[in-house]
Amino acid sequence: MSERSVSKRKQEKRWYTVMAPEMFDRAELGETPADEPEMVYDRTIQTTLGELKNDPSENNTKLTFQITDVGSDAAYTDFVQHELTRDYLRSLTRRGTSKVDAFVTVLTTDDYRVQVQPVAYTTKSADHSQERAIRKTMVDLVEEAAAERTFEGLVESIVEGRLSSAMYSQAKTIYPLRRVEIQKTRVEAQPEEVAAEEEASVDIDEDEE
């Protein structure tokens, strides 16, 4: 291929402005190049909440989006994951204290399956029964939040810190806490995937009968 042909191919690349979902006010996430629109699908874009809100204090929250739709000059995304940076989580760890992790998978009112990972940091070392009680409180509150909210509402309550604040308020009555955070949130299945799994499960049950 001649240099002229290579240069022409580069010039033919189109740049697409990547947009955040509506829950993040369709903020611009950056640009991505592609020869064909089809090549843009499924690309992931990572940014921080601080960059979206123009607030450096929020840079410890990472957000991941995946391109699911492409227009003439814009690419539109869905939310995939929220995660706190390792440096920030490490800064919360202290000697002589307890770190209580939990992992819970929930279904929102509009049938998104989401894994949520809350974590609590105590002021001193808690015993096993206290850790279990704190963990149960966090799991119960995540399940309640999902049962009452759409996917968008659940993600907003997590990213804005309302859910972790509710956990802190309840769990601190069990044992003194220094901090409660949701360290990670990840979409496990979209509504259509959940529906397909349920349909397959029903088919298996009917076959067994």
Side-chain angles (χ1 to χ4, degrees), residues 115-155:
Q115 186 188 84
V116 183
Q117 299 179 21
V119 58
Y121 297 87
T122 63
T123 57
K124 296 180 181 179
S125 182
D127 63 35
H128 291 310
S129 63
Q130 291 164 333
E131 289 182 4
R132 283 197 300 271
I134 291 169
R135 185 174 292 109
K136 184 179 186 304
T137 296
M138 294 193 298
V139 169
D140 288 348
L141 285 174
V142 172
E143 291 177 341
E144 289 173 14
E148 297 170 353
R149 290 173 173 81
T150 62
F151 169 66
E152 183 173 326
L154 179 64
V155 171

Side-chain angles (χ1 to χ4, degrees), residues 68-86:
T68 55
D69 192 21
V70 181
S72 58
D73 57 1
Y76 303 94
T77 61
D78 284 345
F79 171 84
V80 173
Q81 182 173 285
H82 144 279
E83 185 176 19
L84 297 181
T85 63
R86 290 181 182 178

